[in-house]
Amino acid sequence: MEIIVCIKRVPETADADIVIDRTGRDIEKGGLVFDINEWDNYAVEEAILLKEKYGGSVTVISMGPEEVNETLRRALAMGADQAIRLTDPAFEGSDGYTIARVLSQAIKPLSYDLILTGVQTEDDGYGQVGPTLAEILGIRHAAVVNQIEGIESGRTRVHRELEGGLEEILDLELPAVLTIQTGINEPRYVSIMGIRKVAKKEIKVLGLRELAMKPEEAGEPGSLTVVEMVSFPPVGEGAQILEGTMDEISDKVVTILKEKGGVA
Amino acid sequence: MADILVLVEHRRGEIRDITFEMLMKGKTLSEKTGKPLTALLLGNDVGEMAEGLKDLANRVVLIEDPKLENFNSEIYQRVLGNVIEQEKPFLLFIGHTAFGMDLAPTLATQMKAPLATDCTDVMVDDDQIRAIRQTYGGKLNVEVRLKPAPCSMVTVRPASVSVEDYSLAGEITRVTSPLTEEIASKRFLEYVEAAAGEVDITQANILVSVGRGIKDPENIPMVQELAKSLGATLSCSRPVVDKKWLPKDRQVGTSGKTVKPTVYIAIGISGAFQHIAGMKGSGTIIAINRDPKAPIFNVAHYGIVGDLLKIVPALKGKISEAFA
Ligand SMILES: Cc1cc2nc3c(=O)[nH]c(=O)nc-3n(C[C@H](O)[C@H](O)[C@H](O)COP(=O)(O)OP(=O)(O)OC[C@H]3O[C@@H](n4cnc5c(N)ncnc54)[C@H](O)[C@@H]3O)c2cc1C
């Protein structure tokens, strides 16, 4: 079982105060804490579980600057065998299609049975890169996979999560790309000791030239969609914010519940 | 030709809401651009469904084939590739749903069509298509321009368009299925229903709902206490289930339950669209979050900005006194 996992290092923004940068097309990344994309963490774990069951090896690939090594090392500490980082100034501004294009150039020379990605990223949330990658490579795919039943005679049985708790079972020919949904497994804990152990492991770095791509095929020139500007979503009517001391706020909530809540 | 095309999403004999939302959006754009609106229906024995859609588009293109009985992205892609070559649509709408997420990216790549996913709005000016999509869990709006192409594609976020009544009195065009041989590389086997849980959160009058902001499973009993003091039922967002802190039957959202309680109290939930879609119909929504810009405050009626670990116990104290 040769498995490739595509992962991304993303800023954690759920809790952070985000600020639009000077270009007006992105946010300030400065003070933000970065970590592996939540969905990708489940994908790495799933790859390692499959390796433990069927043997073989796991290769993790990520696009981005040197700091991405940290995310790749985290995956190595979880049990991945090789890591590849794709980096080039020309990749800046790539849309979902072009990201898949760059990944495909790195993957083509490798041998693989399965490619796992997260369903989507926490930042851009395209939910597009995995299936696009499959189409470029000319292989099968399934999106939003929440269970891999098993692999047998060049095929795999997977569950795809639909709406409202419903699932469908598919039978797919390998090689295939599966986009992995959160909750599919319980990602293992990565200790500082574990990361130290892989600190010296080589991370292969590939740029535009090694990937046999032309500058006009990457970044904004190679993309089919272009970000024009970003803004904060309109708040609509918005919530009435309850203010005061903790006691006063609690009293207000009690009043609201008495009026609206049907609480006796 | 050069129509605005909407791919009808249906499952087990029912048209899904996203279809009507996309048709509504398509109709608005059709009026603005003068391009006809076409609903594209693929399925097996779905003639009646086509009749039902006639009023909502200028035309319903109907393709029936036993191989289209259940959704399968590869079979759909084969048929749609054909339709796009023939119809040469200007813009194709697909839902940003489990169905569309499996289909749209590969179809767009095959057709070399620019694709903007998970869009909350789509604009067309002089044939230039722009879309609004959200990033960073709904904290940022991004305006995206689709580069000019013979056909463009957009996937639409569920529940982002409000549907009104209209009538276009369209007609049905039957197109012969282009499928010949069996496609065996990707096979649909069966549906699996959600296991019945022990509580039915859809029946609750008050829901106290907890999200990832709770940080530690050890803090859940504190929220449970609050729920108890109100006679409320405990529910949650997806990460709480993913981490196995609460069972799946407590999950609110697109992949969980849709709830409409009299009161919904969201605690440490950011308000991703998949969550909001499952609870925005609640009577009164109270959100507790320490991030004043959390998207949950855009749908909540009342908000408390602060640390839930302090607010929840204080609230519980007052409520126990008031409703003792
Ligand atoms: C196909 C698909 C289906 C999905 N289905 C669902 C679904 O059905 N339901 C669902 O909920 N999600 C669903 N999701 C996931 C969704 O996209 C979000 O990831 C999820 O809703 C986030 O959950 P959360 O708000 O609890 O966590 P986060 O987004 O991490 O938010 C945590 C919040 O807690 C706040 N917080 C942190 N600490 C404190 C504190 N001490 N005091 C106060 N506030 C604090 C933070 O400011 C933040 O706003 C789905 C995703 C996909 C791709």
Side-chain angles (χ1 to χ4, degrees):
Chain A
M1 237 320 100
E2 300 300 316
I3 307 169
I4 293 169
V5 192
C6 304
I7 64 177
K8 187 175 183 187
R9 180 175 182 266
V10 296
E12 287 181 2
T13 51
D15 228 344
D17 188 17
I18 62 172
V19 178
I20 295 173
D21 75 7
R22 261 185 296 167
T23 67
R25 299 167 68 193
D26 205 348
I27 58 163
E28 290 292 352
K29 306 269 171 69
L32 298 173
V33 178
F34 283 72
D35 203 351
I36 185 169
N37 175 45
E38 186 187 2
W39 280 267
D40 302 348
N41 195 31
Y42 286 95
V44 172
E45 176 65 29
E46 197 62 20
I48 291 160
L49 291 174
L50 288 170
K51 179 178 89 165
E52 287 167 358
K53 193 164 164 195
Y54 298 102
S57 78
V58 174
T59 302
V60 283
I61 304 185
S62 190
M63 265 172 84
E66 196 153 352
E67 297 86 79
V68 169
N69 284 354
E70 197 188 313
T71 311
L72 288 167
R73 288 238 150 75
R74 191 184 181 284
L76 289 170
M78 283 173 81
D81 302 277
Q82 282 106 241
I84 305 174
R85 181 164 63 87
L86 313 177
T87 187
D88 203 291
F91 296 160
E92 196 62 34
S94 295
D95 67 354
Y97 164 76
T98 304
I99 292 168
R101 189 64 227 289
V102 173
L103 290 169
S104 76
Q105 286 298 104
I107 291 172
K108 269 177 196 161
L110 308 177
S111 75
Y112 53 86
D113 303 290
L114 262 185
I115 301 173
L116 306 185
T117 71
V119 164
Q120 61 176 35
T121 55
E122 291 167 57
D123 53 0
D124 293 325
Y126 290 130
Q128 170 188 11
V129 171
T132 302
L133 180 60
E135 182 71 21
I136 295 172
L137 292 170
I139 62 176
R140 315 278 71 79
H141 80 277
V144 203
V145 169
N146 67 353
Q147 191 185 337
I148 301 177
E149 275 191 19
I151 291 159
E152 217 178 75
S153 353
R155 297 186 77 95
T156 180
R157 260 170 87 111
V158 301
H159 292 222
R160 234 164 64 70
E161 180 187 286
L162 309 176
E163 285 77 17
L166 190 69
E167 297 176 5
E168 64 181 21
I169 305 181
L170 296 177
D171 166 62
L172 269 185
E173 194 179 272
L174 298 181
V177 175
L178 307 178
T179 79
I180 300 297
Q181 176 64 313
T182 55
I184 188 173
N185 53 41
E186 291 175 67
R188 64 198 66 193
Y189 176 73
V190 183
S191 68
I192 298 183
M193 267 309 287
I195 298 213
R196 258 191 224 139
K197 270 197 201 142
V198 297
K200 295 231 164 58
K201 242 183 153 161
E202 193 214 334
I203 292 175
K204 201 163 158 189
V205 180
L206 305 174
L208 205 60
R209 193 149 43 93
E210 292 84 355
L211 295 172
M213 290 180 78
K214 302 192 195 84
E216 62 269 24
E217 292 173 317
E220 228 173 85
S223 293
L224 301 173
T225 65
V226 179
V227 170
E228 300 244 282
M229 57 172 262
V230 301
S231 58
F232 292 111
V235 190
E237 286 195 11
Q240 179 190 332
I241 301 296
L242 308 177
E243 315 213 27
T245 63
M246 206 63 88
D247 254 14
E248 289 162 358
I249 291 176
S250 300
D251 282 333
K252 286 179 189 168
V253 173
V254 168
T255 312
I256 294 166
L257 290 172
K258 279 186 175 153
E259 274 172 21
K260 322 252 176 169
V263 192
Chain B
M1 301 296 139
D3 287 16
I4 293 170
L5 227 59
V6 169
L7 180 62
V8 175
E9 178 169 334
H10 57 96
R11 184 177 295 142
R12 301 165 120 181
E14 289 217 16
I15 300 179
R16 301 188 57 81
D17 286 347
I18 183 69
T19 303
F20 303 110
E21 293 159 14
M22 292 190 290
L23 285 167
M24 185 75 222
K25 186 75 221 167
K27 181 201 160 245
T28 314
L29 288 180
S30 162
E31 279 169 359
K32 174 149 196 262
T33 60
K35 298 179 196 299
L37 176 65
T38 296
L40 184 54
L41 175 59
L42 278 58
N44 181 33
D45 204 6
V46 288
E48 231 170 88
M49 225 180 250
E51 288 293 332
L53 288 165
K54 259 187 352 194
D55 265 357
L56 302 177
N58 300 110
R59 194 166 58 117
V60 179
V61 170
L62 172 63
I63 304 177
E64 291 185 298
D65 192 313
K67 296 192 189 76
L68 293 167
E69 171 73 31
N70 292 298
F71 171 72
N72 176 328
S73 75
E74 283 199 13
I75 299 176
Y76 260 64
Q77 189 177 336
R78 190 74 62 93
V79 176
L80 290 168
N82 239 277
V83 173
I84 292 173
E85 302 245 298
Q86 273 162 28
E87 292 275 328
K88 304 205 175 9
F90 169 70
L91 179 60
L92 171 61
F93 281 109
I94 298 180
H96 190 73
T97 54
F99 168 106
M101 290 171 90
D102 205 38
L103 169 69
T106 52
L107 178 65
T109 306
Q110 181 196 329
M111 304 314 294
K112 301 190 167 49
L115 167 68
T117 57
D118 190 16
C119 298
T120 56
D121 202 1
V122 184
M123 296 86 73
V124 181
D125 290 288
D126 292 332
D127 279 4
Q128 171 61 64
I129 303 167
R130 284 192 170 76
I132 303 287
R133 54 193 311 282
Q134 292 195 326
T135 57
Y136 300 106
K139 287 179 97 170
L140 202 65
N141 268 11
V142 177
E143 189 175 318
V144 180
R145 175 170 54 87
L146 281 71
K147 287 190 183 171
C151 170
S152 298
M153 289 171 52
V154 157
T155 67
V156 177
R157 171 177 291 192
S160 62
V161 182
S162 36
V163 176
E164 291 154 30
D165 281 339
Y166 65 89
S167 175
L168 290 177
E171 55 193 51
I172 298 175
T173 315
R174 275 183 185 273
V175 172
T176 317
S177 164
L179 295 169
T180 44
E181 81 274 27
E182 218 47 64
I183 295 178
S185 45
K186 184 176 192 174
R187 279 200 300 252
F188 170 91
L189 299 180
E190 59 178 316
Y191 288 116
V192 189
E193 306 287 344
E198 42 181 68
V199 283
D200 184 358
I201 58 171
T202 65
Q203 297 304 312
N205 184 35
I206 306 179
L207 282 174
V208 171
S209 207
V210 56
R212 183 166 22 210
I214 195 75
K215 292 275 166 20
D216 197 298
E218 282 176 11
N219 295 327
I220 288 188
M222 180 181 84
V223 183
Q224 227 149 9
E225 288 291 306
L226 174 65
K228 215 161 117 196
S229 68
L230 277 169
T233 304
L234 189 66
S235 60
C236 63
S237 70
R238 176 165 187 136
V240 173
V241 174
D242 287 340
K243 288 174 197 289
K244 317 243 170 346
W245 294 348
L246 284 175
K248 179 86 184 167
D249 55 348
R250 304 267 176 174
Q251 185 190 317
V252 173
T254 51
S255 56
K257 302 262 172 61
T258 300
V259 298
K260 284 183 183 156
T262 314
V263 176
Y264 187 87
I265 307 181
I267 303 173
I269 294 175
S270 64
F273 92 85
Q274 293 96 343
H275 188 82
I276 288 178
M279 48 62 81
K280 67 174 183 185
S282 306
T284 300
I285 300 168
I286 305 173
I288 304 173
N289 198 302
R290 71 175 174 201
D291 175 9
K293 289 193 184 142
I296 190 79
F297 289 128
N298 301 352
V299 294
H301 303 97
Y302 301 95
I304 304 170
V305 178
D307 185 354
L308 69 89
L309 296 175
K310 297 210 181 81
I311 296 167
V312 171
L315 212 52
K316 199 231 139 204
K318 279 282 179 190
I319 285 168
S320 301
E321 277 172 34
F323 301 112

